[in-house]
Amino acid sequence: MQTNESFSMPIPGPVDPVPVPRAITPRADGRTDLLGLSRAQIGELLAGAGLDAKQAKLRSKQLFHWIYHRGVTDFDAMTDIAKAQRPFLAERFIVGRPDVVEAQISSDGTRKWLLRSDDGQDYEMVFIPDADRGTLCVSSQVGCTLNCRFCHTGTMRLVRNLTPGEIVGQVMLARDALGEWPKGSMASSADEDDADDNAGHYTADGRLLTNIVMMGMGEPLYNFDNVRDALKVVMDGEGLSLSKRRITLSTSGVVPMMARAAEEIGVNLAVSLHAVTKEIRDEIVPLNRKYGIEELLQACADYPRANNARRITFEYVMLKDKNDSDEHAHELVRLIKQYKIPAKVNLIPFNPWPGAPYDTSTPERVRSFSNIIFEAGISAPVRTPRGRDIDAACGQLKTTAEKKSRAELDRLAEEKLAALG
Ligand code: SAH
Ligand code: SF4
């Protein structure tokens, strides 16, 4: 079933030439999309359009508020910006949203959106409602270069980094779809023109979208700058204002970027560990051959100290007869204790996809594995699969019409290797 050829594919590093579109690009009609831009970037664009420094600063602050706090896309609705100036803005800028190609709802309430970028690239986002929270699973790349063997996204051939606009755009779109923008206008004392909708009251409470996980398509630490810039916008107190405690970034273990993630982003970290021996992790998470388990665990031990995060979450996909024995569970406990990592373990039953080379562990196996970790005093909940019927569960995300079988993929991997000589 498993061929060695497919394991020895070249492993890309953070400097791999993944196409990255420029964050600020005028559209075909000459206007520039402000979605995803910071206050400073909006200010620079306004200055470039001819506003003096003071005006540019004031207007960028107002625009930032309208765009990210209020969800407004129409300059005409921005009541504290002088009426006479609104056409000036509308001629030069737009506040866009990703195009929605398809929206699906699972029988369990999970929602999945297939989105399309301006250059025709498809990516997905998933919203998972729970009793006490609503989590948006955000993509960082179209596809993924890392080829973890259990992950459907890793089988996509096309890869490109998403821009901050495309990343923040997912959160904006979810707020649109959930109807979660504050109603009514801001305090009218700040208005330069008469506000015509002073009726509503803004309340930040009772929102459906409470948490964000960077666990959609792609490896967020391979698109570090854009993910950081996007999350900074999402966390900004004058905009979407999501607390860093409610955001989790999941990495397959890009060790050299983890310290920077702690310093420059500061959100919770989840690490896709998935195996406790070199042999097995090399096989299922090929990046392990570049950054091994010891190195990864040391980086995990350093992460919370660097930014006061509460705990690292270790994700562990349960693959039948591969990584799910009691011995593996004991070894996992030993490693966490050896490195003194404040950790919890998230056990993920493998979500199957056509042609996947693994099976899901039995519920008894998952329970036994979980119990061993619990008994050692480490929390080890089992993640309930959500949205499997619409291919929205972890590792099932994959766009493009071309779904390939594992045999085809192995053949393609061999071709790739042959071409490399
Ligand atoms: N690239 C990042 C984040 C996206 S994947 C990472 O790998 O961490 C989010 C989580 O889903 C990861 O823990 C990933 O290993 C897991 N996953 C991937 N494929 C899966 C599958 N088929 N079943 C269950 N979990 C899967
Ligand atoms: Fe990429 Fe994460 Fe999937 Fe691995 S599990 S292929 S890193 S998206």
Coordinates of all heavy atoms in Angstrom, one line a residue, residues 272-331:
S272 N 0.4 19.6 15.4 CA 0.0 18.4 14.9 C 1.1 17.3 15.1 O 1.9 17.1 14.2 CB -0.3 18.5 13.4 OG -1.4 19.4 13.2
L273 N 1.1 16.7 16.2 CA 2.1 15.8 16.6 C 1.9 14.4 15.9 O 2.7 14.0 15.2 CB 2.2 15.6 18.1 CG 3.4 14.9 18.6 CD1 4.7 15.6 18.3 CD2 3.3 14.7 20.1
H274 N 0.8 13.8 16.2 CA 0.3 12.6 15.5 C 1.1 11.3 15.6 O 0.7 10.3 15.2 CB 0.1 12.9 14.0 CG -0.8 14.0 13.6 ND1 -2.0 14.3 14.3 CD2 -0.7 15.0 12.7 CE1 -2.6 15.3 13.8 NE2 -1.8 15.8 12.8
A275 N 2.3 11.4 16.1 CA 3.1 10.2 16.3 C 4.2 10.5 17.3 O 4.6 11.6 17.5 CB 3.7 9.8 15.0
V276 N 4.7 9.4 18.0 CA 5.7 9.6 19.0 C 7.0 8.9 18.7 O 8.0 9.0 19.5 CB 5.2 9.1 20.4 CG1 4.1 10.0 20.9 CG2 4.7 7.6 20.3
T277 N 7.1 8.3 17.5 CA 8.4 7.7 17.1 C 8.8 8.3 15.8 O 7.9 8.8 15.0 CB 8.3 6.2 16.9 OG1 7.5 5.9 15.7 CG2 7.8 5.5 18.1
K278 N 10.1 8.4 15.6 CA 10.6 9.0 14.3 C 10.1 8.3 13.1 O 9.6 8.9 12.1 CB 12.1 9.0 14.4 CG 12.7 9.5 13.0 CD 14.2 9.7 13.1 CE 14.8 9.9 11.8 NZ 14.1 10.9 10.9
E279 N 10.1 6.9 13.2 CA 9.7 6.1 12.1 C 8.3 6.5 11.6 O 8.0 6.7 10.5 CB 9.8 4.7 12.5 CG 9.8 3.7 11.3 CD 9.4 2.3 11.7 OE1 9.4 2.0 12.9 OE2 9.1 1.5 10.8
I280 N 7.4 6.5 12.6 CA 6.0 6.7 12.2 C 5.7 8.2 11.8 O 5.0 8.5 10.8 CB 5.0 6.3 13.4 CG1 5.2 4.8 13.7 CG2 3.5 6.6 13.0 CD1 4.4 4.3 14.8
R281 N 6.3 9.1 12.6 CA 6.0 10.5 12.2 C 6.7 10.9 10.8 O 6.1 11.6 10.1 CB 6.5 11.5 13.3 CG 5.9 12.8 13.2 CD 5.9 13.7 14.4 NE 5.1 14.9 14.3 CZ 5.5 16.1 13.8 NH1 6.8 16.2 13.4 NH2 4.7 17.1 13.6
D282 N 7.9 10.3 10.6 CA 8.5 10.5 9.3 C 7.5 10.1 8.2 O 7.4 10.7 7.1 CB 9.7 9.6 9.1 CG 11.0 10.3 9.7 OD1 10.8 11.5 10.1 OD2 12.1 9.7 9.7
E283 N 6.8 9.0 8.4 CA 5.9 8.4 7.4 C 4.7 9.3 7.2 O 4.3 9.7 6.1 CB 5.5 7.0 7.8 CG 4.4 6.5 6.8 CD 3.8 5.2 7.3 OE1 4.5 4.3 7.9 OE2 2.6 4.9 7.1
I284 N 4.0 9.7 8.4 CA 2.7 10.3 8.2 C 2.8 11.8 8.1 O 1.9 12.5 7.5 CB 1.7 9.8 9.3 CG1 2.1 10.3 10.7 CG2 1.5 8.3 9.2 CD1 1.1 9.8 11.7
V285 N 3.8 12.4 8.7 CA 4.0 13.9 8.6 C 5.4 14.1 8.1 O 6.4 14.2 8.8 CB 3.9 14.6 10.0 CG1 4.0 16.1 9.9 CG2 2.6 14.2 10.7
P286 N 5.6 14.1 6.7 CA 7.0 14.1 6.2 C 7.8 15.2 6.6 O 9.1 15.1 6.6 CB 6.7 14.1 4.7 CG 5.3 13.7 4.5 CD 4.5 14.0 5.7
L287 N 7.2 16.3 7.1 CA 8.0 17.4 7.6 C 8.9 17.0 8.7 O 9.9 17.7 9.0 CB 7.1 18.6 8.0 CG 7.8 19.9 8.5 CD1 8.5 20.6 7.3 CD2 6.7 20.8 9.1
N288 N 8.6 15.9 9.4 CA 9.3 15.4 10.5 C 10.8 15.1 10.1 O 11.7 15.1 11.0 CB 8.7 14.2 11.1 CG 9.2 13.8 12.5 OD1 9.1 14.6 13.4 ND2 9.9 12.7 12.6
R289 N 11.0 14.8 8.8 CA 12.4 14.5 8.4 C 13.2 15.7 8.4 O 14.5 15.6 8.4 CB 12.4 13.8 7.1 CG 11.8 12.4 7.2 CD 11.9 11.7 5.9 NE 10.6 11.4 5.4 CZ 10.3 11.2 4.2 NH1 11.3 11.4 3.3 NH2 9.1 10.8 3.8
K290 N 12.6 16.8 8.4 CA 13.3 18.1 8.5 C 13.4 18.6 9.9 O 14.5 19.0 10.3 CB 12.6 19.1 7.6 CG 13.4 20.3 7.2 CD 12.8 20.9 6.0 CE 13.6 22.1 5.5 NZ 13.0 22.6 4.2
Y291 N 12.3 18.6 10.6 CA 12.3 19.0 12.0 C 11.8 17.9 12.8 O 10.6 17.6 12.9 CB 11.4 20.3 12.2 CG 11.7 21.4 11.1 CD1 10.8 21.8 10.2 CD2 13.0 22.0 11.1 CE1 11.0 22.8 9.3 CE2 13.3 23.0 10.2 CZ 12.3 23.3 9.3 OH 12.6 24.3 8.3
G292 N 12.7 17.2 13.5 CA 12.3 16.0 14.3 C 11.5 16.3 15.5 O 11.4 17.4 16.0
I293 N 11.1 15.2 16.1 CA 10.2 15.3 17.3 C 10.9 16.0 18.5 O 10.3 16.8 19.1 CB 9.8 13.8 17.8 CG1 8.9 13.2 16.7 CG2 9.0 13.9 19.1 CD1 8.4 11.8 17.0
E294 N 12.2 15.7 18.7 CA 12.8 16.4 19.9 C 12.9 17.9 19.7 O 12.6 18.6 20.6 CB 14.3 15.8 20.1 CG 14.4 14.4 20.5 CD 14.2 13.4 19.4 OE1 14.3 13.8 18.2 OE2 13.8 12.3 19.6
E295 N 13.3 18.3 18.5 CA 13.4 19.7 18.2 C 12.0 20.4 18.3 O 11.9 21.5 18.9 CB 13.7 19.8 16.7 CG 15.0 20.5 16.4 CD 15.1 20.6 14.8 OE1 15.2 19.5 14.2 OE2 15.1 21.7 14.3
L296 N 11.0 19.7 17.8 CA 9.6 20.2 17.9 C 9.2 20.3 19.3 O 8.6 21.4 19.7 CB 8.7 19.3 17.1 CG 7.2 19.6 17.1 CD1 7.0 21.0 16.5 CD2 6.4 18.6 16.3
L297 N 9.4 19.3 20.1 CA 9.0 19.4 21.5 C 9.7 20.5 22.3 O 9.1 21.2 23.1 CB 9.1 18.0 22.2 CG 8.2 17.0 21.6 CD1 8.4 15.6 22.3 CD2 6.7 17.4 21.8
Q298 N 11.0 20.7 22.0 CA 11.7 21.7 22.6 C 11.1 23.1 22.3 O 10.9 24.0 23.1 CB 13.2 21.7 22.3 CG 14.0 22.7 23.1 CD 13.9 22.4 24.6 OE1 14.0 21.3 25.1 NE2 13.5 23.5 25.3
A299 N 10.7 23.3 21.0 CA 10.1 24.5 20.6 C 8.8 24.7 21.3 O 8.4 25.8 21.6 CB 9.9 24.5 19.0
C300 N 8.1 23.6 21.5 CA 6.8 23.7 22.2 C 7.0 24.1 23.6 O 6.2 24.9 24.2 CB 6.1 22.3 22.2 SG 5.5 21.9 20.6
A301 N 8.0 23.6 24.3 CA 8.3 23.9 25.7 C 8.6 25.4 25.8 O 8.3 26.0 26.8 CB 9.5 23.0 26.2
D302 N 9.3 25.9 24.8 CA 9.6 27.4 24.8 C 8.5 28.3 24.5 O 8.5 29.5 24.9 CB 10.8 27.6 23.8 CG 12.0 26.9 24.2 OD1 12.2 26.5 25.3 OD2 12.9 26.6 23.3
Y303 N 7.5 27.8 23.7 CA 6.4 28.7 23.2 C 5.6 29.4 24.3 O 5.6 30.7 24.3 CB 5.5 27.9 22.3 CG 4.5 28.8 21.6 CD1 4.7 29.3 20.3 CD2 3.2 29.0 22.2 CE1 3.8 30.1 19.7 CE2 2.3 29.8 21.5 CZ 2.6 30.4 20.3 OH 1.6 31.2 19.7
P304 N 5.1 28.7 25.3 CA 4.2 29.4 26.2 C 5.0 30.4 27.1 O 4.6 31.5 27.5 CB 3.6 28.3 27.1 CG 4.0 27.1 26.5 CD 5.1 27.3 25.5
R305 N 6.3 30.0 27.3 CA 7.1 30.9 28.1 C 7.3 32.2 27.4 O 7.5 33.3 27.9 CB 8.5 30.3 28.4 CG 8.5 29.5 29.7 CD 9.8 28.8 29.9 NE 9.6 27.4 30.0 CZ 10.4 26.5 29.5 NH1 11.4 26.9 28.7 NH2 10.2 25.2 29.6
A306 N 7.3 32.1 26.0 CA 7.6 33.3 25.2 C 6.4 34.3 25.2 O 6.6 35.5 25.0 CB 8.0 32.9 23.8
N307 N 5.2 33.8 25.4 CA 4.1 34.7 25.2 C 2.9 34.5 26.2 O 1.8 34.9 26.0 CB 3.6 34.7 23.8 CG 2.7 33.5 23.6 OD1 2.8 32.5 24.3 ND2 1.8 33.6 22.6
N308 N 3.2 33.8 27.3 CA 2.2 33.6 28.3 C 1.0 32.8 27.8 O -0.1 32.9 28.4 CB 1.7 34.9 28.9 CG 2.6 35.4 30.0 OD1 3.1 34.5 30.7 ND2 2.8 36.7 30.0
A309 N 1.1 32.0 26.8 CA 0.0 31.2 26.3 C -0.3 30.2 27.4 O 0.6 29.8 28.2 CB 0.3 30.5 25.0
R310 N -1.5 29.8 27.5 CA -1.8 28.9 28.7 C -1.3 27.5 28.4 O -0.6 27.0 29.3 CB -3.3 28.9 29.0 CG -3.7 30.1 29.7 CD -5.2 30.4 29.7 NE -5.7 30.5 28.4 CZ -6.9 30.8 28.1 NH1 -7.8 30.9 29.0 NH2 -7.3 31.0 26.8
R311 N -1.6 27.0 27.3 CA -1.2 25.6 27.1 C -1.1 25.3 25.6 O -1.7 25.9 24.8 CB -2.4 24.7 27.5 CG -2.2 23.8 28.6 CD -3.6 23.3 29.0 NE -3.8 23.5 30.4 CZ -4.3 22.6 31.1 NH1 -4.7 21.5 30.5 NH2 -4.5 22.8 32.4
I312 N -0.2 24.4 25.3 CA -0.1 23.9 23.9 C -1.1 22.8 23.7 O -1.3 21.9 24.6 CB 1.3 23.3 23.6 CG1 2.3 24.4 23.9 CG2 1.4 22.8 22.2 CD1 2.9 25.1 22.7
T313 N -1.8 22.7 22.6 CA -2.6 21.6 22.3 C -1.9 20.7 21.3 O -1.4 21.1 20.3 CB -3.9 22.0 21.6 OG1 -4.6 23.0 22.5 CG2 -4.8 20.9 21.3
F314 N -1.7 19.4 21.7 CA -1.2 18.5 20.8 C -2.3 17.7 20.0 O -3.1 17.1 20.7 CB -0.2 17.4 21.5 CG 1.1 18.0 21.9 CD1 1.4 18.2 23.2 CD2 2.0 18.5 20.9 CE1 2.6 18.7 23.6 CE2 3.2 19.0 21.3 CZ 3.5 19.2 22.7
E315 N -2.3 17.9 18.7 CA -3.3 17.2 17.9 C -2.8 15.8 17.6 O -1.6 15.7 17.3 CB -3.7 18.0 16.7 CG -4.3 19.3 17.0 CD -4.3 20.3 15.8 OE1 -3.2 20.8 15.6 OE2 -5.3 20.4 15.2
Y316 N -3.6 14.8 17.7 CA -3.2 13.5 17.4 C -4.3 12.7 16.7 O -5.3 12.4 17.2 CB -2.9 12.8 18.8 CG -2.0 11.6 18.7 CD1 -0.6 11.7 19.0 CD2 -2.5 10.3 18.3 CE1 0.2 10.5 18.9 CE2 -1.7 9.2 18.3 CZ -0.4 9.3 18.5 OH 0.4 8.2 18.5
V317 N -4.0 12.5 15.4 CA -5.0 11.9 14.5 C -4.9 10.4 14.8 O -3.8 9.8 14.8 CB -4.8 12.2 13.0 CG1 -3.5 11.8 12.5 CG2 -5.9 11.7 12.2
M318 N -6.0 9.7 15.1 CA -6.0 8.3 15.4 C -6.1 7.4 14.2 O -7.2 7.3 13.6 CB -7.1 8.0 16.4 CG -7.1 8.8 17.7 SD -5.7 8.3 18.8 CE -6.2 6.7 19.3
L319 N -5.0 6.8 13.8 CA -5.0 6.0 12.6 C -4.9 4.5 13.0 O -4.0 4.1 13.8 CB -3.8 6.3 11.7 CG -3.6 7.8 11.3 CD1 -2.3 8.0 10.6 CD2 -4.8 8.2 10.4
K320 N -5.8 3.7 12.5 CA -5.9 2.3 13.0 C -4.6 1.6 12.8 O -4.0 1.6 11.6 CB -7.0 1.7 12.2 CG -7.4 0.3 12.7 CD -8.6 -0.2 12.0 CE -8.9 -1.6 12.6 NZ -9.8 -2.4 11.8
D321 N -4.1 0.9 13.8 CA -2.9 0.1 13.8 C -1.7 0.8 13.3 O -0.7 0.2 12.9 CB -3.1 -1.2 12.9 CG -4.3 -2.0 13.4 OD1 -4.5 -2.0 14.6 OD2 -4.9 -2.7 12.5
K322 N -1.7 2.1 13.4 CA -0.5 2.9 12.9 C 0.1 3.6 14.1 O 1.3 3.5 14.4 CB -1.0 3.8 11.8 CG 0.1 4.8 11.3 CD 1.3 4.1 10.8 CE 1.3 3.3 9.5 NZ 2.6 2.7 9.2
N323 N -0.7 4.4 14.8 CA -0.1 5.2 15.9 C -1.0 5.2 17.2 O -0.9 6.1 18.0 CB 0.0 6.7 15.4 CG -1.4 7.3 15.1 OD1 -2.4 6.6 15.1 ND2 -1.4 8.6 14.8
D324 N -1.9 4.2 17.3 CA -2.9 4.2 18.3 C -2.8 3.2 19.4 O -3.8 2.9 20.1 CB -4.3 4.1 17.6 CG -4.5 2.7 16.8 OD1 -3.5 2.0 16.8 OD2 -5.6 2.5 16.4
S325 N -1.6 2.6 19.6 CA -1.5 1.6 20.7 C -1.4 2.2 22.0 O -1.1 3.4 22.2 CB -0.3 0.7 20.4 OG 0.9 1.4 20.6
D326 N -1.6 1.4 23.1 CA -1.4 1.8 24.5 C 0.1 2.3 24.7 O 0.3 3.3 25.4 CB -1.7 0.7 25.4 CG -3.2 0.5 25.6 OD1 -4.0 1.3 25.0 OD2 -3.7 -0.4 26.3
E327 N 1.0 1.6 24.0 CA 2.4 2.0 24.2 C 2.6 3.4 23.7 O 3.4 4.2 24.2 CB 3.3 1.0 23.4 CG 3.4 -0.4 24.0 CD 2.1 -1.2 23.9 OE1 1.5 -1.1 22.8 OE2 1.8 -1.9 24.9
H328 N 2.0 3.7 22.5 CA 2.1 5.0 22.0 C 1.6 6.1 23.0 O 2.2 7.1 23.1 CB 1.4 5.2 20.6 CG 2.0 4.4 19.5 ND1 1.3 3.6 18.6 CD2 3.3 4.2 19.2 CE1 2.2 3.1 17.8 NE2 3.4 3.4 18.1
A329 N 0.5 5.8 23.6 CA -0.1 6.7 24.6 C 0.8 6.9 25.7 O 1.1 8.1 26.2 CB -1.5 6.2 25.0
H330 N 1.4 5.8 26.2 CA 2.4 6.0 27.4 C 3.6 6.8 26.9 O 4.1 7.6 27.7 CB 2.8 4.6 27.8 CG 1.8 3.8 28.6 ND1 1.3 4.3 29.8 CD2 1.1 2.7 28.4 CE1 0.3 3.5 30.3 NE2 0.2 2.5 29.4
E331 N 4.0 6.6 25.7 CA 5.2 7.3 25.3 C 4.9 8.8 25.1 O 5.7 9.7 25.4 CB 5.7 6.7 23.9 CG 6.9 7.4 23.3 CD 8.2 7.4 24.1 OE1 8.2 6.8 25.2 OE2 9.1 8.1 23.7

